[in-house]
Amino acid sequence: MTFSNKTYIMFGSLAIFIVISVLSLQNRLTTIDQAIISSLTGDVSPFVASLMEAVTKLGSGEIILIFTFIIAAILFFKKLYTQIVFLFTLTFGGIALNFFLKILFQRERPGEMSVIEVFGYSLEIASYSFPSGHTMRSVLLFTFLIYMSYYFIKNNTTKIGAIVIFSLMIIIISLSRIIVGAHFPSDIIAAVTISITWFYLCLILIQRLPIENFINKIKKVT
């Protein structure tokens, strides 16, 4: 993918996020949000509801952090140091960005207001709704895995299979946040678009900075 294509996607996603943000602040998405929620949750069976409760946990901060460090360890053993920098920048920068946006917009959740919890410990900080943190974390992690699959898996069948699976994980986790009543659909769309924006911004920066040369210099010194 060329530099211009990456910038088009990045700014296009950012533009969609800005539009959704403005409409959300003006409460002009309420009708659409409620219509989508009703269509998704109207005939949900207890089994599907339980399944969505389980699926949505995959986007929790704890699970994402565990997966991130496991992936980083694999990349380290394969000596893909630039990709480790990319992954950490993407993940931890994305967490910080999500926290900033939640504080900025302070949109209440469709259900009861909750607090942020990390590994079972309550931080006593309100967990706002916009944009969805679960969705952002999931989109960033699985988009990174899609990127890695596209560039590093040689077998086309395996590559396509991995990309499809990771794409489905993004969709299922995103939908689960609506079905379990944790977010409005506009929270999800906003999370997806700002995540794509952040992903391509990080990708452009990582590919244009001489990280590999810097790492090689450190290795020579040590």
Side-chain angles (χ1 to χ4, degrees):
M1 184 180 292
T2 63
F3 174 78
S4 59
N5 287 338
K6 293 171 189 171
T7 54
Y8 290 150
I9 295 173
M10 182 179 70
F11 285 113
S13 299
L14 180 60
I16 296 172
F17 173 78
I18 292 172
V19 170
I20 294 172
S21 300
V22 172
L23 293 176
S24 177
L25 285 173
Q26 296 175 348
N27 294 320
R28 297 175 65 178
L29 296 175
T30 304
T31 302
I32 297 175
D33 277 337
Q34 292 301 331
I36 296 174
I37 290 173
S38 297
S39 66
L40 289 176
T41 60
D43 299 318
V44 174
S45 66
F47 171 75
V48 173
S50 299
L51 181 61
M52 290 296 101
E53 288 282 358
V55 167
T56 199
K57 293 179 181 178
L58 293 175
S60 67
E62 298 90 335
I63 298 298
I64 294 297
L65 286 176
I66 291 170
F67 277 140
T68 297
F69 283 108
I70 290 174
I71 294 168
I74 295 172
L75 295 175
F76 179 80
F77 284 114
K78 291 185 175 294
K79 299 182 179 181
L80 297 173
Y81 304 119
T82 300
Q83 307 309 323
I84 295 174
V85 175
F86 182 23
L87 175 62
F88 282 165
T89 303
L90 193 65
T91 301
F92 295 107
I95 291 173
L97 176 61
N98 180 257
F99 181 76
F100 170 77
L101 291 172
K102 283 180 180 289
I103 297 300
L104 179 65
F105 290 100
Q106 295 190 13
R107 185 185 193 184
E108 293 186 2
R109 291 177 178 272
E112 294 182 0
M113 180 59 70
S114 59
V115 296
I116 298 175
E117 293 186 356
V118 180
F119 291 103
Y121 292 96
S122 174
L123 301 182
E124 299 301 327
I125 300 174
S127 179
Y128 293 108
S129 187
F130 187 95
S132 166
H134 274 67
T135 304
M136 274 193 70
R137 290 188 293 266
S138 301
V139 171
L140 291 173
L141 178 65
F142 289 113
T143 302
F144 176 80
L145 291 175
I146 289 171
Y147 160 80
M148 293 297 293
S149 299
Y150 181 81
Y151 284 103
F152 293 96
I153 295 179
K154 303 300 182 183
N155 183 277
N156 285 331
T157 302
T158 305
K159 177 186 298 186
I160 294 171
I163 292 172
V164 169
I165 290 172
F166 295 142
S167 299
L168 286 174
M169 289 303 300
I170 291 174
I171 295 170
I172 293 172
I173 293 175
S174 298
L175 289 175
S176 74
R177 299 305 290 163
I178 302 173
I179 294 173
V180 302
H183 284 284
F184 297 104
S186 52
D187 299 333
I188 304 302
I189 298 173
V192 171
T193 53
I194 197 61
S195 296
I196 293 172
T197 302
W198 179 244
F199 174 84
Y200 278 101
L201 176 61
C202 291
L203 179 59
I204 290 170
L205 291 175
I206 290 295
Q207 291 181 338
R208 298 182 80 82
L209 292 175
I211 295 176
E212 199 69 39
N213 293 335
F214 178 71
I215 292 173
N216 290 332
K217 287 180 180 179
I218 293 176
K219 290 169 67 177
K220 287 180 181 179
V221 171
T222 57

